[in-house]
Amino acid sequence: MLRLAAIQLKTSLNKHLNITRAQDLIREAAKNGSSLIILPECFNSPYGNKYFPEYAEPIPDGPTCQSLSSVAKELSVHIIGGSIPERDKDGKLYNTCTVWSPDGAILAKHRKIHLFDIDLPGVFKFQESETLSPGNSLTTFNLPNWGRIGLGICYDVRFPELAMSYSDMDCRLLVYPGAFSMATGPVSWELLGRARAADNQLFVAMVSPARDTESDYVSWGHSMVVGPDGQILSDCKDNETIIYTELNMELLDSYRNSVPVRKQKRWDLYNNSYKETQ
């Protein structure tokens, strides 16, 4: 059994305070028995193109990563560090998630693959590509005595091919730190999380920042964890909070055996149909 904590953190303009608050909530989650603790997208920074260059830092040597490394070692827990704006040695910016082991070592780094470039006329427009570059690799890591975990960030959840690829890599849990907007969240947040879980018969964690109606970008909130049958195991509203979930591997294996769609796929037909449309 794995006890997971998803921290719906309220971020501010003060980077130091964001990091300190994240550490405090990580300690609270560990005190309550969680061994895997997840932060939201852009937890050390306001979300926005004008903020990414200002708050960006190198990985793993920047102050945010150093704080995550330190608290992971202090508490002997695994931490999925939501995401932060990353600046590489060539000056490129990425939206990047890091994973930390109980001894404070970095286990994985996922750069957001699909950039959030959308335009809902008269409603909402955002273009991450104005400042950020996309990542070019899938990212997984192994949690000892539990299984493999796949990483995505926010807009990555809209692409079922990514989740399916992780499923083929035998991931048991997909983690998506994400800051859906007030335009997209009510329509898509729950739908996409439950769909990715049900399609691939695995656990999905969607971890949002808390809603701040005074910020430039207002996040939807509603962090949640979904089971392999698509049912919500735990969730919250839009306030700063921590949600806890027990992930039972026996439940996952039992459901996969009862509804064995993973063994019943007709790739002989799907692949041919796909080729015929090209």
Side-chain angles (χ1 to χ4, degrees):
M1 188 81 72
L2 172 67
R3 185 167 172 82
L4 176 154
I7 297 176
Q8 187 161 280
L9 175 74
K10 186 175 182 179
T11 58
S12 70
L13 292 170
N14 188 313
K15 183 176 181 178
H16 176 72
L17 288 181
N18 292 336
I19 296 171
T20 301
R21 182 60 178 158
Q23 287 182 313
D24 290 343
L25 292 175
I26 289 170
R27 291 188 179 99
E28 180 180 335
K31 184 178 179 180
N32 286 317
S34 297
S35 57
L36 176 63
I37 302 171
I38 309 170
L39 292 167
E41 182 179 23
C42 280
F43 77 90
N44 73 341
S45 162
Y47 183 83
N49 283 316
K50 71 179 183 180
Y51 298 112
F52 297 148
E54 176 185 354
Y55 288 76
E57 60 183 68
I59 292 176
D61 297 323
T64 304
C65 286
Q66 292 301 300
S67 73
L68 293 178
S69 172
S70 175
V71 75
K73 185 175 182 179
E74 170 195 333
L75 301 170
S76 192
V77 295
H78 283 87
I79 296 174
I80 299 178
S83 79
I84 65 171
E86 176 197 4
R87 177 178 283 108
D88 75 0
K89 58 183 177 59
D90 298 318
K92 285 187 175 182
L93 301 180
Y94 300 89
N95 189 344
T96 304
C97 174
T98 57
V99 181
W100 301 89
S101 72
D103 62 1
I106 187 167
L107 288 179
K109 181 175 81 169
H110 177 77
R111 289 170 169 167
K112 189 174 188 176
I113 297 172
H114 306 94
L115 295 184
F116 183 44
D117 286 4
I118 71 167
D119 186 358
L120 304 175
V123 179
F124 179 80
K125 180 178 181 180
F126 199 95
Q127 304 287 310
E128 271 189 331
S129 61
E130 290 179 4
T131 55
L132 301 178
S133 297
N136 293 308
S137 62
L138 280 62
T139 310
T140 71
F141 70 98
N142 188 59
L143 196 67
N145 302 315
W146 196 82
R148 187 156 296 279
I149 297 174
L151 301 176
I153 299 174
C154 200
Y155 201 57
D156 284 339
V157 76
R158 288 188 177 271
F159 297 85
E161 298 86 353
L162 175 61
M164 188 181 300
S165 296
Y166 281 145
S167 178
D168 289 343
M169 297 164 71
D170 199 30
C171 288
R172 301 301 183 95
L173 166 66
L174 303 185
V175 174
Y176 297 97
F180 271 41
S181 72
M182 295 300 293
T184 59
V187 177
S188 303
W189 176 261
E190 179 181 323
L191 173 68
L192 290 168
R194 295 181 70 180
R196 297 296 83 83
D199 284 348
N200 299 287
Q201 297 183 319
L202 38 66
F203 295 103
V204 168
M206 305 270 284
V207 188
S208 172
R211 189 180 304 174
D212 180 359
T213 56
E214 297 181 0
S215 64
D216 295 345
Y217 180 99
V218 181
S219 297
W220 171 239
H222 294 269
S223 296
M224 65 179 184
V225 178
V226 186
D229 58 356
Q231 297 300 305
I232 296 174
L233 301 177
S234 61
D235 63 356
C236 60
K237 297 191 182 298
D238 56 29
N239 56 300
E240 183 176 85
T241 190
I242 305 174
I243 60 172
Y244 298 95
T245 316
E246 306 285 348
L247 301 189
N248 187 338
M249 190 67 77
E250 291 181 1
L251 171 67
L252 184 147
D253 291 334
S254 174
Y255 187 73
R256 287 182 174 182
N257 289 331
S258 298
V259 188
V261 295
R262 295 162 60 85
K263 300 176 182 178
Q264 296 168 333
K265 293 182 179 181
R266 292 293 307 275
W267 289 112
D268 56 321
L269 299 179
Y270 310 150
N271 289 336
N272 289 336
S273 297
Y274 176 78
K275 291 175 182 176
E276 289 172 3
T277 63
Q278 302 307 298

